[in-house]
Amino acid sequence: MAQRRIRVLPPMPFVNRRNAGSSPSAPNTAPTPARPSRRTIVDSAIYQDGIRVASPASLAETFRALHDTPGGMAWIGLYRPSQTEIHSLAEEFDLHELAVEDAIAAHQRPKLERYDDTLFVVLRAADYLDVPEEVAFGELHVFVGPNFVITVRHSESPDLSHVRRRMEADPELLAMGPQAVLFAIIDTVVDEYAPVVAGLANDIDEIESQVFDSLDANVSRRIYELSSEVIDFQRATHPLATVVDNLQLGAEKYHVNEELQRNLRDVADHLTGVNERVDTFRSMLRDILTVNATLVTERQNARMEQLSELSHQQGEDTKKISAWAAILFTPTLIAGIYGMNFDIMPELHWAFGYPFALGLMLALGLGLYFVFKRRNWL
């Protein structure tokens, strides 16, 4: 398993198209800006008493509609906006420059920062990819003010469209204001951690079976990669617990609705369960890696013992072969000597020469046999 890297795209430049082939006398035409290749405004709406009263198509229209709606709230959803669009929002809603800088640069850890009456929240969404057995991470920035909510996504996840539909289906909840939207977004992000936890748990079960039931050499690599995924997931969930705790601490101070506080406590409980599971996963993987190393060592030792036994057996076989070769060599030597075609040789014409040669062969062979037998070569 690798972490999905999110890159902030630069603003789309305007392309000036001129009739390069026209004559000098041709009328001068104004440059035509190129149309954007993607839509950065996913959804923009103005709500009054929890009811959508306007759906502006641009940021400028959203600003005008919000000014024209007494007691209204703007919820602007953006996907990889340009710097120009973010600076436009910062100017309209008086967003702090540090928060704007973080929203442009992205790659932030989950955190909560308050700038006067505006909250800036960074969330890390997670999505489990079953085929590569990886966890893909998304980044979401949320600006929450007295009468606006701005969400800036730098990745495909999380998809906030169902959050908006759920909130719009409950006008009473949406009428509680921007804090209700923020808590609903955090709740969605935490709920989407559940499939990730289930996927990691399934992978750990598979690895446990793989460690004990097979001799797959890639199991150590799989444990290491899964440990990296768990650590990255931990970096997304643990700081979020601090964010939720800080929101709970500031709820009474900033007079947050009691019902919203109960919802936030429920989110905190779910997040605590997720963090406990993730911590357990990390401990389990550490133990599995230790067990796997022990099993690998035991298998290597068993293999070495088998090789030693094989080497010893080969040595014993070599000694037996050498002993029999020496026993057979003696009569062969005697026979070879007396088989030479010479006229003048000792005992060549001796009447007992043949029986003596046979007896000598037998005696030397038996002598060597008993010598090798005493030395356990035979």
Side-chain angles (χ1 to χ4, degrees), residues 42-62:
V42 179
D43 197 356
S44 180
I46 304 299
Y47 299 93
Q48 188 177 41
D49 297 328
I51 304 298
R52 182 190 283 243
V53 296
S55 300
S58 66
L59 293 180
E61 294 178 9
T62 302

Side-chain angles (χ1 to χ4, degrees), residues 3-8 102-110 122 124 139 141 154:
Q3 179 179 356
R4 181 180 298 173
R5 299 186 178 276
I6 307 302
R7 180 171 61 90
V8 179
D102 288 344
I104 293 175
H107 302 297
Q108 304 293 319
R109 62 177 180 82
V122 178
R124 296 279 288 176
E139 188 166 340
H141 298 174
H154 292 279

Side-chain angles (χ1 to χ4, degrees), residues 9-15 34-38 40 81-85:
L9 298 179
M12 296 298 297
F14 290 104
V15 180
R35 298 182 65 181
S37 60
R38 57 181 174 83
T40 58
S82 66
Q83 296 185 22
T84 301
E85 290 169 323

Side-chain angles (χ1 to χ4, degrees), residues 238-350:
H238 275 222
L240 184 55
T242 303
V243 172
V244 174
D245 289 342
N246 290 336
L247 286 173
Q248 287 182 301
L249 292 175
E252 294 184 3
K253 178 179 179 181
Y254 295 98
H255 308 292
V256 176
N257 183 279
E258 180 62 30
E259 181 63 24
L260 293 181
Q261 293 188 44
R262 283 194 288 267
N263 293 342
L264 188 60
R265 285 193 292 268
D266 183 64
V267 172
D269 290 340
H270 291 170
L271 184 58
T272 299
V274 170
N275 283 327
E276 290 176 351
R277 291 293 303 278
V278 174
D279 292 341
T280 302
F281 290 162
R282 191 168 181 182
S283 300
M284 291 177 64
L285 287 171
R286 184 169 53 247
D287 295 340
I288 291 173
L289 187 60
T290 301
V291 171
N292 181 65
T294 302
L295 292 177
V296 169
T297 302
E298 290 179 354
R299 291 164 186 164
Q300 290 176 343
N301 291 338
R303 182 60 177 169
M304 290 300 296
E305 290 179 1
Q306 292 177 355
L307 292 175
S308 298
E309 292 177 0
L310 180 60
S311 177
H312 176 72
Q313 184 62 38
Q314 289 177 343
E316 293 297 320
D317 293 341
T318 301
K319 289 192 295 184
K320 291 180 180 180
I321 294 173
S322 300
W324 284 112
I327 294 173
L328 295 176
F329 174 74
T330 302
T332 303
L333 176 63
I334 297 173
I337 292 175
Y338 283 93
M340 293 186 293
N341 296 322
F342 292 103
D343 291 334
I344 302 175
M345 288 183 64
E347 294 87 23
L348 188 60
H349 300 286
W350 185 30

Side-chain angles (χ1 to χ4, degrees), residues 103-374:
I104 293 175
H107 302 297
Q108 304 293 319
R109 62 177 180 82
K111 62 180 180 178
L112 168 66
E113 296 178 351
R114 179 177 290 276
Y115 301 98
D116 297 327
D117 56 354
T118 301
L119 287 177
F120 176 63
V121 182
V122 178
L123 304 173
R124 296 279 288 176
D127 185 23
Y128 181 77
L129 307 179
D130 187 54
V131 175
E133 295 183 349
E134 295 178 355
V135 181
F137 297 92
E139 188 166 340
L140 174 65
H141 298 174
V142 185
F143 295 90
V144 181
N147 63 341
F148 66 88
V149 177
I150 303 170
T151 59
V152 180
R153 287 192 295 124
H154 292 279
S155 60
E156 295 295 334
S157 63
D159 182 9
L160 301 179
S161 59
H162 64 282
V163 180
R164 189 185 291 265
R165 290 193 297 269
R166 178 163 58 87
M167 295 292 289
E168 290 179 348
D170 189 354
E172 184 177 350
L173 178 61
L174 189 55
M176 295 181 185
Q179 291 281 359
V181 177
L182 173 61
F183 294 173
I185 292 173
I186 297 176
D187 183 32
T188 298
V189 170
V190 174
D191 286 345
E192 291 181 354
Y193 288 158
V196 179
V197 171
L200 292 174
N202 182 67
D203 288 344
I204 292 175
D205 291 340
E206 292 179 356
I207 286 179
E208 287 181 333
S209 300
Q210 191 176 3
V211 166
F212 290 103
D213 296 342
S214 70
L215 299 177
D216 189 356
N218 294 324
V219 65
S220 297
R221 179 183 182 88
R222 188 181 181 190
I223 295 172
Y224 175 79
E225 291 176 348
L226 188 58
S227 297
S228 298
E229 296 295 330
V230 170
I231 291 173
D232 290 339
F233 188 42
Q234 207 172 33
R235 290 172 180 167
T237 60
H238 275 222
L240 184 55
T242 303
V243 172
V244 174
D245 289 342
N246 290 336
L247 286 173
Q248 287 182 301
L249 292 175
E252 294 184 3
K253 178 179 179 181
Y254 295 98
H255 308 292
V256 176
N257 183 279
E258 180 62 30
E259 181 63 24
L260 293 181
Q261 293 188 44
R262 283 194 288 267
N263 293 342
L264 188 60
R265 285 193 292 268
D266 183 64
V267 172
D269 290 340
H270 291 170
L271 184 58
T272 299
V274 170
N275 283 327
E276 290 176 351
R277 291 293 303 278
V278 174
D279 292 341
T280 302
F281 290 162
R282 191 168 181 182
S283 300
M284 291 177 64
L285 287 171
R286 184 169 53 247
D287 295 340
I288 291 173
L289 187 60
T290 301
V291 171
N292 181 65
T294 302
L295 292 177
V296 169
T297 302
E298 290 179 354
R299 291 164 186 164
Q300 290 176 343
N301 291 338
R303 182 60 177 169
M304 290 300 296
E305 290 179 1
Q306 292 177 355
L307 292 175
S308 298
E309 292 177 0
L310 180 60
S311 177
H312 176 72
Q313 184 62 38
Q314 289 177 343
E316 293 297 320
D317 293 341
T318 301
K319 289 192 295 184
K320 291 180 180 180
I321 294 173
S322 300
W324 284 112
I327 294 173
L328 295 176
F329 174 74
T330 302
T332 303
L333 176 63
I334 297 173
I337 292 175
Y338 283 93
M340 293 186 293
N341 296 322
F342 292 103
D343 291 334
I344 302 175
M345 288 183 64
E347 294 87 23
L348 188 60
H349 300 286
W350 185 30
F352 298 100
Y354 180 70
F356 177 78
L358 292 178
L360 182 60
M361 293 179 188
L362 181 60
L364 292 176
L366 290 174
L368 290 174
Y369 176 82
F370 287 115
V371 170
F372 289 132
K373 193 69 173 177
R374 174 177 288 185

